[in-house]
Amino acid sequence: MAMHPALTVGFDLDMTLIDSRPGIKAAFEALSAATGVYVDADLAITRLGPPLADELAHWFPAEDIPAIAETYRNEIYPVHAITGSPALPGARESIAAIHGVGGRAVVVTAKYKRNAERHLEHLDIAADAVVGDLWAEGKGAALIEHGATVYVGDHIGDVRGARTAGALSVAVATGPVGAAELRAAGADVVLADLTEFPEWFEGYVREAA
């Protein structure tokens, strides 16, 4: 069995560590122009969290989605979405807080892994590992594999992923789901945003010790 450091924290990416709305909007507009199929990019970015195929299903026939997704991920997204997506306040400081106690920060996201890595590289967010293409309960296996005891996300799907892994669910109300709904879904801790994470984390580590 693999050995893990004493403390590993998992993070979602979109609307947890980064504000991907501007980049994804630009990418969907480019996809619409390339395919000639109308995509309401403003609506699409209100539904971030679930896998790309879920959003494409609103606009394209099912049989076309695999090819469209491939084009989007490998040709359109890297060009249009990376540079326009800023880090959310507190993102770098949260990772630094974990590294400051010798812990590891692992990004587990529904996004295509290489594009997630591109975002982190562009923004100089120093994750120790990145796992992509996982959603909701599917995130649980990666969290278990990496020994994560905490998972931080903005969506009910992230709460479900944490629960599946037996990890503490820390929710940030920076995405499409409000604080009350995150609490109702079973989040153990709800923060307004990641600027509150380092102080919370300091207390969590102190209590654990």
Side-chain angles (χ1 to χ4, degrees):
M1 180 179 291
M3 297 299 291
H4 298 289
L7 183 56
T8 297
V9 179
F11 286 86
D12 177 49
L13 182 66
D14 289 345
M15 304 313 302
T16 298
L17 289 170
I18 69 170
D19 183 356
S20 52
R21 292 171 299 184
I24 290 177
K25 179 180 177 181
F28 274 126
E29 288 171 345
L31 179 67
S32 184
T35 60
V37 174
Y38 174 70
V39 176
D40 186 339
D42 288 308
L43 176 59
I45 62 172
T46 68
R47 300 191 285 226
L48 299 183
L52 172 63
D54 288 19
E55 184 59 42
L56 293 179
H58 292 289
W59 314 106
F60 297 92
E63 63 270 19
D64 294 344
I65 288 175
I68 294 291
E70 190 76 6
T71 297
Y72 177 90
R73 285 171 171 157
N74 293 301
E75 299 176 24
I76 291 175
Y77 196 96
V79 174
H80 295 277
I82 305 300
T83 59
S85 299
L88 282 166
R92 295 184 189 90
E93 293 83 354
S94 295
I95 302 296
I98 295 161
H99 288 161
V101 298
R104 298 175 72 246
V106 178
V107 172
V108 181
T109 174
K111 192 178 295 298
Y112 180 55
K113 179 182 177 182
R114 183 65 192 107
N115 286 332
E117 291 171 339
R118 287 183 172 108
H119 278 294
L120 297 170
E121 290 161 6
H122 174 69
L123 296 170
D124 196 26
I125 296 175
D128 297 286
V130 179
V131 184
D133 293 308
L134 295 176
W135 166 240
E137 288 83 359
K139 293 183 173 186
L143 295 171
I144 292 169
E145 179 184 350
H146 285 275
T149 54
V150 177
Y151 186 57
V152 186
D154 66 285
H155 200 284
I156 288 170
D158 299 322
V159 178
R160 287 156 49 195
R163 285 275 174 259
T164 300
L168 189 79
S169 172
V170 176
V172 285
T174 46
V177 182
E181 192 174 351
L182 290 165
R183 287 191 191 93
D188 298 297
V189 177
V190 179
L191 307 175
D193 56 38
L194 284 181
T195 65
E196 298 181 357
F197 180 86
E199 182 178 357
W200 171 82
F201 183 70
E202 181 183 354
Y204 172 75
V205 171
R206 189 167 54 245
E207 288 181 17

